[in-house]
Amino acid sequence: MKKFIAIFLSALLLTSCGAEAVTEEQTDAVSNATTTTAPEETEPAASSEDLESEPEAEAETPEASGSKILVAYFSCTGTTEQIAEWIASETGADLYEIVAADPYTDEDLAYYTGGRADQEQSDDSARPEISGSVEDISQYDVIFLGYPIWHGQAPKIVYTFLESYDLENVTIIPFCTSHSSGIGSSAENLHSLVSDTVTWDSGRRFSGDATESDVIEWIESLDLPESDVSEVSQVGVFNFETKTVLLNSGYEMPIVGLGTYSLSDEECAVSIAALLEAGGRLIDTAYMYGNEAAVGEAIRNSDVPREEIFVITKLYPTQYSNAAEAIDDALERMGLDYIDMIILHHPGDGDVEAYLALEQAVADGKVHSIGLSNWYIEELEEFLPQVNITPALVQNEIHPYYQENDVIPYIQSLGIVVQGWYPLGGRGHTSELLNDETIVAIAEAHGVSSAQVILRWNLQKGVVVIPGSSDPDHIRENLDLFDFELTDEEMDAINALDRNEKHDWY
């Protein structure tokens, strides 16, 4: 399952406009770009219910035979970013953020104060400098161009973007965000900036309360050329058909798996056999679980090719002082030639040095991807500047009673995949969660179990799940999450259950 996708992604760097909208016309946001680099951005009896996972050579790029789509956008407060991401997700497009070399501040964006934005919008010759660029823009046949409405027009940095490239024979589909102003002349005034061979769509304006359904409905109304871009996965975007996500390390990881916390050696053998037989391919273990050897043996004894199985293990803080030896010991205990991912179990003395040892293990081919467990915003802000490889994964406690709704989008904005342990609440708390009347009602509406509803809720939030179980029936049930979908209203109802109630000390 570890198909190594062509482009090796060394990092996803993001930036921030650092400003809030001051008037109703100046609404929107910041995001990551997949085709450029930019400064980092900060924006604001065992069963599936009681044995959950605890904290804990490039290939050639396939050539697309169809059309390729780019979503290019400028954003400062959040709205345009969200619309752009929905468009990219629906169309399989590449995503590029137009980033100001000199980021906008709150003062810059304050309307009618004579500030920077006012000055630029009143100066026809203003062309704010852009940081970064689109690589080989000629490969794109369609460009969605997004921006907030400023004084009734597109920000002048959008003019800079269009004039920076020789655009020939492409279709540009503009979209804008505002509370009241329509797209109006803002798009028409951009036409003269590009070649006459460019085809312009009339575009669409979205308000701040636009939904993903609104965006999808609009896209379905467009006469877009057939695109092959969706055949190449995007980093961090869940593919519900293949049931995988592309990590920033270039490897694909399943989005549903098995946690082995508290499983004995015998239980590991039974559970992993049931997982693999049912089509599951993601297994999570750790040095502190004491079952790495059993996990490795179960993998070696299976008929599933090793390259289809994704194995995660963890180094405990007691191992950080000699992490290189700990990595070798894990390989030996598991009897594997490589480990798909090793993560640090939680912050501790020497964690930076231990992570650097993981980086070396990647260079040596012993480990494919590396990550962290139980790191939150404050810990990540301190940790990341000290290392060289952006973690591919951060694994934290996440369930309806402890949702981390500030942490998840922050981690994802860095191009890092989020994985949840205790997805069903954790031992001693699972029964209450599975019998929550809101979740039970949703489960009954879909004809599924409460556990399946909770796991599907995680997936729709972009969170990989690793519920633990020694019961083959529960293991199969926990994988069966792709024949139903929660509505926006059902997602909101579960989101409303958040108590900020952590069930473990990490």
Side-chain angles (χ1 to χ4, degrees):
M1 188 60 64
K2 298 181 295 303
K3 184 168 101 184
F4 189 77
I5 303 298
I7 304 170
F8 185 85
L9 300 155
S10 58
L12 285 175
L13 302 174
L14 302 131
T15 188
S16 171
C17 291
E20 293 295 327
V22 179
T23 75
E24 62 182 9
E25 289 188 333
Q26 207 167 353
T27 59
D28 96 280
V30 191
S31 176
N32 64 318
T34 61
T35 58
T36 187
T37 56
E40 181 175 302
E41 190 262 317
T42 304
E43 182 120 348
S47 71
S48 61
E49 293 88 338
D50 60 12
L51 280 176
E52 302 171 62
S53 179
E54 189 212 16
E56 345 182 13
E58 304 183 357
E60 292 185 1
T61 306
E63 295 184 4
S65 57
S67 297
K68 292 196 69 175
I69 301 174
L70 174 70
V71 180
Y73 70 96
F74 170 71
S75 184
C76 273
T77 65
T79 309
T80 304
E81 173 195 24
Q82 181 64 82
I83 302 298
E85 290 179 343
W86 283 336
I87 294 172
S89 177
E90 180 67 14
T91 64
D94 289 338
L95 194 63
Y96 169 73
E97 183 186 9
I98 301 169
V99 175
D102 181 13
Y104 290 91
T105 66
D106 290 338
E107 291 182 355
D108 291 337
L109 299 176
Y111 263 29
Y112 305 116
T113 62
R116 175 181 168 193
D118 287 341
Q119 295 174 25
E120 290 177 357
Q121 293 306 99
S122 63
D123 181 358
D124 289 340
S125 65
R127 297 294 187 270
E129 184 179 352
I130 294 175
S131 173
S133 63
V134 179
E135 297 178 5
D136 189 17
I137 201 167
S138 64
Q139 67 183 301
Y140 297 104
D141 301 284
V142 176
I143 298 176
F144 283 86
L145 181 64
Y147 52 86
I149 292 293
W150 285 7
H151 292 295
Q153 296 297 316
K156 289 300 176 62
I157 195 169
V158 175
Y159 290 50
T160 308
F161 170 78
L162 290 173
E163 292 179 341
S164 297
Y165 303 95
D166 294 325
L167 298 175
E168 299 281 347
N169 301 311
V170 301
T171 296
I172 297 180
I173 305 175
F175 63 96
C176 72
T177 56
S178 74
H179 284 298
S180 58
S181 298
I183 196 164
S185 63
S186 70
E188 295 176 3
N189 289 339
L190 301 175
H191 293 189
S192 63
L193 305 176
V194 298
S195 167
D196 291 339
T197 65
V198 170
T199 299
W200 285 83
D201 186 87
S202 57
R204 171 74 180 266
R205 167 250 178 193
F206 293 95
S207 63
D209 60 358
T211 66
E212 186 173 7
S213 297
D214 295 331
V215 173
I216 293 174
E217 181 180 357
W218 173 56
I219 291 172
E220 290 177 345
S221 72
L222 299 173
D223 185 21
L224 293 176
E226 185 176 352
S227 173
D228 270 352
V229 178
S230 60
E231 293 182 3
V232 180
S233 300
Q234 292 177 284
V235 170
V237 177
F238 283 16
N239 186 326
F240 282 80
E241 293 185 4
T242 64
K243 305 173 186 177
T244 62
V245 61
L246 178 63
L247 303 172
N248 63 28
S249 57
Y251 290 89
E252 283 186 334
M253 181 181 74
I255 56 178
V256 181
L258 173 72
T260 64
Y261 170 62
S262 81
L263 294 184
S264 67
D265 289 356
E266 183 177 347
E267 288 171 331
C268 273
V270 173
S271 298
I272 292 173
L275 176 84
L276 297 177
E277 182 180 355
R281 295 293 185 266
L282 173 63
I283 302 167
D284 177 86
T285 183
Y287 167 76
M288 279 301 290
Y289 299 172
N291 57 21
E292 285 179 318
V295 168
E297 183 177 6
I299 291 170
R300 294 194 309 275
N301 289 341
S302 76
D303 294 329
V304 178
R306 169 67 184 95
E307 62 272 13
E308 293 187 11
I309 303 172
F310 197 106
V311 184
I312 301 174
T313 192
K314 311 175 190 72
L315 299 188
Y316 204 69
T318 54
Q319 299 177 290
Y320 292 172
S321 61
N322 199 345
E325 181 178 329
I327 294 166
D328 289 340
D329 288 345
L331 283 163
E332 184 176 352
R333 272 193 302 274
M334 300 183 81
L336 302 177
D337 294 331
Y338 64 88
I339 295 173
D340 299 273
M341 180 181 291
I342 298 183
I343 61 181
L344 302 186
H345 208 128
H346 62 78
D349 291 341
D351 51 16
V352 171
E353 291 75 15
Y355 191 88
L356 296 177
L358 291 180
E359 293 184 349
Q360 184 59 52
V362 170
D364 294 340
K366 299 176 181 179
V367 179
H368 286 173
S369 305
I370 56 180
L372 304 168
S373 183
N374 304 299
W375 255 261
Y376 302 89
I377 295 176
E378 183 177 347
E379 290 85 356
L380 287 167
E381 288 179 339
E382 178 182 355
F383 186 86
L384 294 180
Q386 302 180 72
V387 300
N388 305 303
I389 298 178
T390 301
L393 182 81
V394 171
Q395 185 190 98
N396 287 339
E397 178 180 348
I398 300 170
H399 49 75
Y401 291 162
Y402 186 73
Q403 298 188 15
E404 292 196 6
N405 288 321
D406 57 337
V407 181
I408 292 172
Y410 171 77
I411 294 173
Q412 291 170 337
S413 76
L414 301 175
I416 302 171
V417 171
V418 178
Q419 188 176 74
W421 53 264
Y422 279 177
L424 303 177
R427 293 177 304 165
H429 301 275
T430 315
S431 178
E432 179 187 9
L433 182 57
L434 293 182
N435 287 288
D436 186 287
E437 61 182 13
T438 296
I439 293 172
V440 169
I442 294 172
E444 290 176 349
H446 289 278
V448 298
S449 69
S450 291
Q452 287 172 306
V453 166
I454 294 169
L455 296 176
R456 178 72 196 198
W457 168 80
N458 274 278
L459 294 184
Q460 290 184 212
K461 289 168 73 75
V463 176
V464 177
V465 288
I466 46 172
S469 178
S470 61
D471 184 324
D473 290 336
H474 285 131
I475 291 171
R476 285 188 287 269
E477 176 184 289
N478 291 342
L479 295 172
D480 188 14
L481 308 176
F482 300 93
D483 292 332
F484 71 101
E485 181 177 356
L486 303 181
T487 65
D488 290 343
E489 293 75 18
E490 289 168 339
M491 290 293 292
D492 289 342
I494 299 175
N495 290 341
L497 299 178
D498 192 14
R499 303 174 178 175
N500 197 31
E501 182 178 289
K502 211 170 188 310
H503 293 161
D504 216 316
W505 68 270
Y506 291 111

